[in-house]
Structure formats: C-alpha cells, structure tokens
C-alpha cells in the first residue's frame, strides 16, 4: 500500500550518482551534471523532466520562457530519454576544428579549415547530410562483408599454419626414426657423427618453427585488429552514430586495403622447406673414410603441401595481369612495294620465363 507523499522506489532506470535515493522521474539537466533530483515538472518543448529549481529557471530564461511547461500533476509519468548526439572527431591538423566535411575528390574527411585551405576547388559535402542513409548504403555493406571475409581468411590461414606445424613435426619424427634405424645397423664408433646430424636436423626444424611462429603471430595480430575494427563498426551501427560510423568506415577502408596487402605477403610460396634423411650407402663398407652419418636433404615447398588445404571463404583474386613487352618492330612492307596494309587480325606471342 502506497503512503501519500512518499516517493515510489525505483525499479528500472536506476543509476545512482551519489544521492541517497533514486527516482523513476528525475531532472534531466541536473542528471547531466551528475546529480539525481526528483522531477517536479516537464518541458514539452525540450522533452525533458525538470526539478523544482530548473522548472522555475526555465520559465525565466529568455531562450526557454516561451516553452510549454507542465506541472507535476500534468507531466508525463514515463522517464525522459536524453538525446545522444553524434560527436565529430577533431582534425589532426587543426585541433579546434571538427571533421564535419567529406571531400569526394580525395575520398577523405576534413574540417572547415582544411576545406578552405586545401579543398576549395573540390566537391565537398556536409557529413550529417551524407550520413542519413549510410545504414542502407552499398558501400557500408560491402566494407562490412569484405572485413568479415578477410577475417575468415586469416582465421583459416591460422588453422593452416597449425596444421603445417604438425606436419613439419611429423616429418621431423620420420627423419629421427630413419636416423635411429640406420644407427642400429652400424657400430658404436658413429656416436659423434650421430650427434652432429641430429643437431643439424634440429637446427632446420627450429628455423622452420620460428618462421611459422612468426607467421602465426603476424596473422593473429591482423585478425585481432580486424575483429576490433568490425566490432567498432557494429557498435556504431547499433548506436546509430551515423557521422562517427561514416568516418570510421572511411578510415577502416584504408586499413583493410593495407591488411589485404599483408595477407598476400603471408601467402607467399617457397618460404618453407621440408627435410628428409638420406643414408650414406658407402658408410656400410667404408665406415672409417666418412665424417658424417648421412646428409639431410632439404627442398622448398609451399605452405600446405603436407596437409589438406581448406578453401577459404573468400580470398583476393590472383593477380593475372600480363606484362607485355615489345621485342622488335615488324616490317609490314610488301615485296611489291604496295603501301596499303590489309592486316585483318593480330596475335600476341607470350614468352614465359
């Protein structure tokens, strides 16, 4: 049973800011200053609840004295929701200016000073005008899809690296078994040479593992950055911070291109080597004449040669551009001296290196 004059305890929207009691209906202007005060009125123009003090000042101040005010008995009984305004980032070159404009010619966001100094002849538009339809824009959908595909590719590559590391370890185990088997066929005088060949094998393995670990670390770092950027864009989309989303989208677009180039570097072939053990056949008959137990043969192999390769969800298309080079001029003059040329076709001769 409710007691007259007693505030109804707050059940939702409870955010304590130092006061002894939270209220369902509180003063929005005071709440912005970090103080939670019960509402005693409401401004229909500002769409905000007001405490007794703010209510009185609201009627006196010139900007708000003509606003439509409702007293405590007439005010809405649902909490006011403050409007969150999208904030612009500051310009790196002009700290007091905000990045509110977009230059189509240079595909960058700029401030008003940048426009005046460097983009007077460019096609410049106001970002709040452009960002109204950004949530439905094809560009945003494409960059989000591209980031997701790129992130999936990096995750797939991480799996390939792990599989490759297992394959290299297995290959090393096979080499070790071969060395031990051959070692059983000879006498104890080969201990020194055995240690030498094991050391050489371990050094090769260590180099391959170091390369793969470095690759795994690099790919993981880029994957984390992609996840972070995609989460930032998702967050801005959910919050509908359109201007901030536009700016982040443009910045992220450039970062994605950089990450795509790094991915091409990570996909290089002929980086890793496989190793196998070849027994020295002469050592069986002429043991004293040899210094080593055998030799380790290495060959270059592309990553994934030893394990099944999973096709990525989406990968950048391979560069199939042909570089054409003119070898020499072709004399088109006929023996009869006729100057008119009746060539009806042409063929390109491609010389591979």
């Amino acid at each position: 049973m409710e007691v007259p004059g007693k505030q109804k305890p707050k059940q939702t929207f409870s955010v304590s800011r130092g006061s002894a009691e939270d209220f369902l209906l509180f003063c929005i202007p005071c709440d912005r200053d970090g103080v939670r005060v019960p509402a005693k009125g409401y401004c229909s123009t500002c769409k905000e609840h007001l405490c007794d003090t703010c209510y009185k000042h609201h009627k006196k101040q010139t900007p708000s004295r003509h606003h439509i005010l409702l007293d405590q008995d007439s005010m809405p009984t649902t909490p006011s929701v403050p409007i969150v305004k999208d904030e612009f980032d500051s310009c790196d070159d002009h700290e007091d200016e905000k990045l509110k404009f977009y230059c189509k010619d240079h595909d960058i966001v700029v401030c008003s000073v940048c426009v005046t100094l460097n983009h007077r002849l460019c096609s410049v538009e106001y970002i709040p005008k452009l960002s109204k339809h950004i949530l439905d824009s094809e560009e945003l959908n494409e960059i989000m899809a591209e980031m997701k595909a790129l992130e999936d590719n990096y995750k797939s590559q991480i799996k390939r690296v792990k599989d490759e590391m297992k394959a290299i370890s297995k290959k090393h185990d096979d080499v070790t078994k071969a060395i031990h088997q051959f070692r059983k066929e000879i006498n104890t005088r080969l201990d020194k040479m055995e240690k030498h060949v094991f050391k050489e094998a371990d050094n090769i393995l260590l180099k391959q593992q170091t390369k793969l670990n470095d690759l795994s670390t690099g790919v993981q770092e880029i994957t984390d950055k992609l996840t972070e950027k995609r989460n930032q864009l998702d967050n801005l989309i959910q919050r509908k911070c359109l201007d901030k989303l536009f700016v982040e989208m443009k910045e992220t677009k450039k970062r994605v291109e950089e990450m795509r180039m790094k991915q091409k570097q990570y996909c290089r072939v002929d980086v890793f080597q496989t190793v196998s053990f070849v027994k020295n056949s002469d050592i069986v008959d002429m043991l004293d004449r040899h210094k080593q137990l055998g030799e380790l043969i290495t060959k270059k192999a592309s990553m994934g040669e030893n394990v099944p390769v999973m096709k990525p969800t989406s990968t950048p298309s391979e560069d199939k551009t042909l570089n054409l080079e003119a070898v020499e001029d072709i004399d088109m003059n006929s023996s009869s001296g006729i100057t008119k040329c009746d060539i009806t076709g042409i063929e390109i001769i491609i010389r591979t290196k």
Side-chain angles (χ1 to χ4, degrees):
M1 180 176 181
E2 296 185 1
V3 179
K6 183 177 180 180
Q7 278 285 354
K8 184 179 179 180
K10 184 176 180 181
Q11 298 176 357
T12 58
F13 304 96
S14 176
V15 181
S16 178
R17 300 197 178 186
S19 59
E21 186 178 19
D22 283 20
F23 304 93
L24 182 63
L25 302 178
F26 52 85
C27 177
I28 296 300
C30 291
D31 184 69
R32 294 194 187 102
D33 293 332
V35 180
R36 184 62 58 91
V37 182
K40 298 296 183 181
Y42 182 80
C43 176
S44 297
T45 305
C46 298
K47 307 297 183 184
E48 292 181 346
H49 283 88
L50 306 171
C51 65
D52 188 50
T53 302
C54 291
Y55 187 87
K56 293 177 181 179
H57 283 290
H58 215 71
K59 293 190 295 184
K60 294 180 180 180
Q61 294 178 347
T62 301
S64 58
R65 63 184 178 183
H66 296 298
H67 288 192
I68 301 175
L69 299 176
L70 303 177
D71 58 20
Q72 188 172 11
D73 296 331
S74 304
M75 68 181 185
T77 57
T78 56
S80 303
V81 180
I83 299 177
V84 179
K85 293 184 178 180
D86 214 348
E87 296 183 359
F88 290 94
D89 290 337
S90 298
C91 179
D92 292 337
D93 298 326
H94 313 99
E95 295 182 357
D96 295 334
E97 298 294 329
K98 301 295 184 181
L99 297 171
K100 296 184 179 181
F101 300 92
Y102 169 63
C103 174
K104 287 186 176 180
D105 295 347
H106 296 90
D107 194 23
I108 57 174
V109 289
V110 293
C111 70
S112 57
V113 177
C114 291
V115 173
T116 303
L117 296 179
N118 304 316
H119 302 272
R120 286 180 295 177
L121 301 179
C122 298
S123 176
V124 178
E125 293 195 38
Y126 189 43
I127 287 180
K129 180 180 178 181
L130 291 175
S131 66
K132 291 180 180 179
H133 306 290
I134 188 175
L135 294 179
D136 299 324
S137 70
E138 183 178 350
E139 184 177 9
L140 177 60
N141 293 333
E142 287 179 355
I143 192 65
M144 294 296 291
E146 187 175 359
M147 290 180 63
K148 179 62 171 62
L150 194 58
E151 182 182 357
D152 291 342
N153 287 342
Y154 274 111
K155 290 181 179 179
S156 176
Q157 194 167 6
I158 290 175
K159 183 182 182 304
R160 291 178 60 190
V161 168
K162 292 180 179 179
D163 292 340
E164 190 70 28
M165 292 179 69
K166 291 180 180 178
I168 290 178
S169 297
K170 183 180 182 303
K171 192 66 176 178
H172 175 262
D173 292 341
D174 294 340
V175 171
T176 303
K177 290 178 181 179
I179 294 173
H180 280 301
Q181 180 63 34
F182 186 47
R183 180 65 182 85
K184 293 177 181 179
E185 299 173 5
I186 59 178
N187 58 43
T188 57
R189 291 188 296 166
L190 302 177
D191 288 342
K192 183 177 180 180
M193 286 184 284
E194 183 187 48
K195 292 179 181 179
H196 175 79
V197 75
F198 271 128
K199 182 178 180 181
E200 185 179 356
D202 290 338
N203 287 338
I204 293 175
L205 173 66
L206 179 60
K207 290 179 180 179
Q208 300 308 305
Q209 287 180 330
T210 300
K211 287 183 180 180
L212 288 170
N213 286 329
D214 292 343
L215 176 58
S216 178
T217 300
V219 171
Q220 185 63 56
E221 289 177 355
I222 295 180
T223 302
D224 293 341
K225 290 179 181 178
L226 279 169
T227 302
E228 180 183 356
K229 282 294 183 181
R230 187 163 57 82
N231 290 339
Q232 289 178 358
L233 291 178
D234 285 335
N235 181 264
L236 292 174
I237 291 174
Q238 294 176 6
R239 293 168 52 201
K240 297 187 183 304
C241 296
L242 307 184
D243 299 332
K244 180 71 173 178
L245 177 60
F246 185 91
V247 175
E248 287 295 328
M249 179 188 69
K250 291 297 179 179
E251 293 296 327
T252 302
K253 185 177 180 181
K254 298 176 182 178
R255 299 294 178 266
V256 169
E257 182 61 28
E258 295 173 359
M259 294 177 185
R260 188 186 296 106
M261 295 303 296
K262 288 185 178 179
Q263 187 189 35
K264 288 184 178 180
Q265 296 176 1
Y266 288 145
C267 291
R268 293 177 305 175
V269 298
D270 296 333
V271 174
F272 304 102
Q273 296 177 324
T274 60
V275 59
S276 57
F277 180 76
V278 178
K279 294 187 293 185
N280 191 327
S281 58
D282 294 335
I283 201 170
V284 178
D285 301 320
M286 300 163 53
L287 183 63
D288 293 334
R289 297 177 55 186
H290 292 274
K291 303 291 184 181
Q292 297 189 53
L293 184 65
E295 58 179 327
L296 295 169
I297 304 300
T298 61
K299 69 174 182 177
K300 294 182 179 179
S302 60
M303 188 176 66
E305 179 178 301
N306 300 313
V307 295
V309 179
M310 296 182 61
K311 185 177 181 181
T313 304
S314 175
T315 56
S317 60
E318 180 182 356
D319 186 3
K320 297 182 179 179
T321 303
L322 294 178
N323 296 321
L324 303 181
E325 178 183 357
V327 178
E328 60 182 348
D329 295 333
I330 301 177
D331 187 4
M332 304 304 300
N333 293 325
S334 65
S335 59
S336 61
I338 299 176
T339 58
K340 182 180 178 181
C341 181
D342 291 327
I343 295 178
T344 60
I346 187 171
E347 291 187 2
I348 299 176
I349 301 174
I350 301 177
R351 182 170 57 191
T352 60
K353 296 181 178 181

